[in-house]
Amino acid sequence: MKFFSTLSSCVACGLLASQVAAQTFQRLGACPKLGCIFPPDQADFLPGQWFDIRLEVHAPQNGSERVSYAQPDGNFTFTIGRDGQRAVPATQFFNLTEPRLETWNFTWYEDLFARAARTPSLVRVAGKAYRKVALYEPGNYVATLTYQNGSSTVANWTVRDIPTQRRAKNTIIFIGDGMTTNMITAARLMAHQMINGKYQTTMAMDQMPVLGHQMTHSLDSFITDSANSASALYTGHKSTVNALSVYRDSSPSNFDDPKVETIAELFREIYGGGVGIVSTAFIADATPAALTAHTSQRGRYGEVVDSFLRGITNYTWVNWTGPDVLFGGGAEQFYPNSRSFQGRDYYQEFRNAGYNVVLNNTSLQTASNSSKTLGIFSVSNMAKWLDRNIYKNNLNISRTAPNGGNGSATDQPGLKEMTLKALQILRARNPQNGFFLMSEAASVDKMMHVLDYDRALTELLELDDTIKATINYLRSVGELNNTQIIITADHGHGFDVMGSVDTRYLAQQTGDRNKRNAIGIYEESGLSQYVVPNASMPIGSDQNVVYSQGVNFPTNFDPRYTFYQGVAAFPDHREDYTVNKRGPRVPALNITGFSSTDYYVNYIDAVTGFVINGSLPVAADQGVHSLTDVPVFSQGPCQADFGGVYNSIDVFYKMAGCLGLSRRTPPRP
Ligand SMILES: *[C@@H]1O[C@H](CO)[C@@H](O)[C@H](O)[C@H]1NC(C)=O
Ligand SMILES: *[C@@H]1O[C@H](CO)[C@@H](O)[C@H](O)[C@H]1NC(C)=O
Ligand SMILES: *[C@@H]1O[C@H](CO)[C@@H](O)[C@H](O)[C@H]1NC(C)=O
Ligand SMILES: *[C@@H]1O[C@H](CO)[C@@H](O)[C@H](O)[C@H]1NC(C)=O
Ligand SMILES: *[C@@H]1O[C@H](CO)[C@@H](O)[C@H](O)[C@H]1NC(C)=O
Ligand SMILES: *[C@@H]1O[C@H](CO)[C@@H](O)[C@H](O)[C@H]1NC(C)=O
Ligand SMILES: *[C@@H]1O[C@H](CO)[C@@H](O)[C@H](O)[C@H]1NC(C)=O
Ligand SMILES: *[C@@H]1O[C@H](CO)[C@@H](O)[C@H](O)[C@H]1NC(C)=O
Ligand SMILES: *[C@@H]1O[C@H](CO)[C@@H](O)[C@H](O)[C@H]1NC(C)=O
Ligand SMILES: *[C@@H]1O[C@H](CO)[C@@H](O)[C@H](O)[C@H]1NC(C)=O
Ligand SMILES: *[C@@H]1O[C@H](CO)[C@@H](O)[C@H](O)[C@H]1NC(C)=O
Ligand SMILES: *[C@@H]1O[C@H](CO)[C@@H](O)[C@H](O)[C@H]1NC(C)=O
Ligand SMILES: [Zn+2]
């Protein structure tokens, strides 16, 4: 989720470059001068990975970078040379014909004053795109764009020396969207019993043999969104907020941006292996989308769904024939309506392509394992674990049924059911070639955004339960030692637990300052009340209260003493620290009669609580992503590769290396 327009942004421009690095607005991210090369300086590549090159030459017509000429000179040259070798024109290097010259204009705001005054700077552009090229020889390459009578922009590229040997048959990457170490700590405290400071059980994640940390920064901003972080994890290339497996260019089209081949495309192309995509979000959302979509605008949901089925159709690209498994929510892009691509019936489009289509848990369970399968279980994001399992009345929301009718989606599978079924199908269809599965616990992030910590943490526990079930399944079918398992996140939220709250005391105080005295810090934080069974139910005596390693959920979601928890950045909101029994929270509202982008505390949320004045811009109705490094847990043939501290793109190179996806010679045409 994002709230602020990032369409216009700005770089260190012209003479000001050295003084104003890293500012909010950039002319075009990762374009250091008036000449731009994408992939930009510092880009890394997997040997043999397909990518596009975009060149742009900018002629700002006004604003601080204004040039004296009205058009950028279209006569620019572009050369590539390997370290120590003579650079040659890219056309010769890649054996391509010279691409046609394109021209367009764009505008951007140089700073907040320009935005407030609505005085954008106008830039005229000449550009070219070289489509579907690859570098096979590991080493350093220098790409040089020469323009405007001798100005030049240089990009140093590195093709990593990644061995071609395949070490894992299968790869599963679990993504806890927005999941941080702090959240794992809180979820563990919520669901695992501790005696005198020692846990009696721990999470499945805790039992992973190897832990690493990855840095999530974007190409052009230090806070990422889920589109560009997913692109980094799947392609090994950093990108821009909202971009899915492309570098964002400045042209008006959302689909002509330079693409980079993803791990799913590589795996399919090189081995013909199985691909599974599972998410509790609407399936066109960024984390699933970045595996097959290539667009600078993640909001193009209809096209994203088309890309799952057909890949990229309008620019030359890899031959994609659809994943073996696609499970999630987001029915609004499938039944025929204004939000499906060209108003088409995508259930029918998938059926026409040979897919079995299932719309509820019952049908999912009985579906054949031999067919490609599309499972869409609700409109929008799927229901949360807490609503599916504890507050079940919340499933009765009209018009959530996946068939597009007036009904509600009451028979939804959870992440565990979807993931286990995906594994069965992937195995049945790919006994020799193996599979790549991405399984996303999307609502860790979505519930953190709306400050609904109970839902966020139970989504995290469901992910942990799914990981445990996956390991047990793989072991039972003899595939555990063939499968590289990775559990990571795409970014964090500034969440932590700082103590406990006596919610009964809080509710009975009058006045916000008095209510705050219900918070217990340090020694008054006490112990977690979520897992302690009530007095008549000793530990382990009841079927529902069996503490087993790595599979726990709390036994009580509404204890008197709850966590004093929160995020570091938020809109105006109230807190009473109790579970929201009526469904996910709405912390802030825009109010009739005021600007629609001016959000205030929601007075029907957490009514017994106190007001916390927002710290974010008033246009934000929810919390936002944060800077923290995120954990990477691993188990499998390449587990040791994932230890240490590294960049998000390294997750791609480690996965690709483990699968042996580096290609040292061009594939046969
Ligand atoms: C284009 O640029 C090249 C190299 O800078 C130069 O040799 C050539 O004369 C230019 N062509 C035109 C039409 O300006
Ligand atoms: C370059 O491309 C042309 C046309 O596609 C082809 O005939 C030729 O063999 C290629 N040359 C090399 C060196 O790949
Ligand atoms: C770009 O802007 C100029 C004005 O500076 C205008 O004359 C031209 O038509 C515009 N071109 C495009 C492609 O919009
Ligand atoms: C630049 O030109 C455009 C188009 O004429 C105009 O809308 C804009 O306000 C100008 N910006 C500045 C900073 O002068
Ligand atoms: C490039 O240099 C030539 C010769 O000096 C000049 O005629 C032309 O206007 C220059 N072009 C640009 C875009 O500066
Ligand atoms: C790029 O490579 C060139 C030549 O190898 C080198 O001189 C230059 O410093 C490098 N630039 C960066 C930013 O790494
Ligand atoms: C492909 O191009 C056609 C024609 O321009 C357009 O109608 C269609 O929306 C494009 N498809 C996608 C998936 O972008
Ligand atoms: C794409 O793959 C399909 C299935 O493997 C094959 O039938 C088709 O010929 C391929 N198309 C191209 C253009 O390679
Ligand atoms: C599940 O889907 C099947 C097939 O579409 C349908 O016949 C059945 O009624 C559905 N069950 C529920 C509980 O919605
Ligand atoms: C889905 O169906 C299976 C088989 O009936 C059942 O075990 C499981 O609990 C169901 N899952 C949900 C979330 O309803
Ligand atoms: C996994 O175990 C099976 C059976 O024990 C064995 O055949 C296979 O070689 C093992 N694979 C790896 C990657 O160790
Ligand atoms: C609140 O914002 C949304 C999204 O911009 C808008 O659709 C809605 O009309 C606004 N409501 C009010 C009361 O301003
Ligand atoms: Zn995310």
Side-chain angles (χ1 to χ4, degrees), residues 176-189 199 203 205-206 211-214 216 444 448 457 460 487-497 626-633:
D177 201 301
M179 178 177 75
T180 64
T181 305
N182 299 12
M183 296 173 201
I184 296 168
T185 309
R188 185 194 301 120
L189 180 60
Y199 280 106
M203 313 257 289
M205 284 183 231
D206 295 335
L211 172 61
H213 264 171
Q214 47 125 334
T216 67
V444 176
M448 278 290 160
L457 296 179
L460 197 162
I487 304 149
T488 190
D490 52 348
H491 58 79
H493 286 254
F495 170 85
D496 212 338
V497 175
S626 71
L627 182 63
T628 181
D629 293 351
V630 291
V632 186
F633 299 94

Side-chain angles (χ1 to χ4, degrees), residues 41-42 83 142 156:
D41 187 38
Q42 304 300 309
D83 245 7
V142 179
N156 288 358

Side-chain angles (χ1 to χ4, degrees), residues 49 67 180 191 253 360 476 598:
Q49 178 181 26
V67 297
T180 64
S253 168
N360 56 45
S476 74
D598 203 353

Side-chain angles (χ1 to χ4, degrees), residues 57-59 69-77 101 126-127 146-150:
V57 177
H58 292 179
Y69 42 91
Q71 284 288 354
D73 184 357
N75 178 30
F76 43 84
T77 59
L101 186 71
T146 308
Y147 57 98
Q148 296 299 136
N149 280 355

